[in-house]
Amino acid sequence: MPPPAEDRSEDSSGAQEERFPRAAAARRALLEAAIPEAAFEGWNEATLARAGEIAGLSPGEIELYCPGGVLDLLETWSRQGDAAARAQIEAEGPPNRIRDKVTRAVMIRLEQYEGEEDAAVRARARLLLPDALDRGARLLWATSDTIWRAIGDTSTDGNFYSKRAILSGVYASTLAIWLDEHDPEKPKTRAFLDRRISNVMQIEKVKAQWRKTTSGLPDLTALAARLRYGPGRRS
């Protein structure tokens, strides 16, 4: 299920940081301290408590700034990665072909985890637990939305949702390959991503051809409704 319509606007995390700079700074400090710990201990309350000690925050401050526990830190990490990736994508200037734009943008987003792969593996596992599935889905959607916006997508109709839903699946599966591959050039990841993007492009071609073929045909859904409920009142 995609986010509600009001979530279609750009992520408001930047605005939240401007409104609550102290809270944002505290979460960044906690995250910085937690990443090395989580690489070995996982994303749990013990890691959060240890990060608080390193960052010089009391248990009360941790509760205040991260009421959702480590999931709040994982959201902070994901949002930071999205923002950094978007800045890099826009600064580079994406290629001309849409498939090349998406491919390059996905790789840039994955590269935000370079040097922190162990913690990212643990984060991915934590977000797959039942209590985090909703949060994980929202963060995945936000990442997909960031990528589309960064490469210039301006869709507002049904394509807005379908593009982000499809890319969410592509990104999630590619992330698993990226985290498991130790070659810094990531050849397996790039090959996998190329195949996934090719599959998506084929689906889009079929959809476009179907719309073209059926554009002159009657609306079968409306016809079926009339057959079931009758023609309705005539003026």
Side-chain angles (χ1 to χ4, degrees), residues 140-159:
L140 183 58
W141 180 274
T143 293
S144 300
D145 183 52
T146 295
I147 290 173
W148 277 115
R149 291 180 185 278
I151 63 176
D153 178 60
T154 58
S155 60
T156 57
D157 54 8
N159 282 331

Side-chain angles (χ1 to χ4, degrees), residues 29 131 199:
D131 67 322
N199 291 340

Side-chain angles (χ1 to χ4, degrees), residues 166 197-215:
I166 291 171
I197 296 297
S198 294
N199 291 340
V200 170
M201 297 305 293
Q202 288 300 319
I203 292 172
E204 290 302 311
K205 287 181 181 179
V206 170
K207 287 167 57 180
Q209 184 60 43
W210 172 256
R211 286 193 295 268
K212 181 179 179 181
T213 302
T214 60
S215 61

Side-chain angles (χ1 to χ4, degrees), residues 1-8 141 148 153 155-168:
M1 177 71 67
E6 59 267 27
D7 285 342
R8 289 178 53 176
W141 180 274
W148 277 115
D153 178 60
S155 60
T156 57
D157 54 8
N159 282 331
F160 178 95
Y161 293 104
S162 63
K163 285 180 177 180
R164 283 148 182 81
I166 291 171
L167 186 57
S168 292

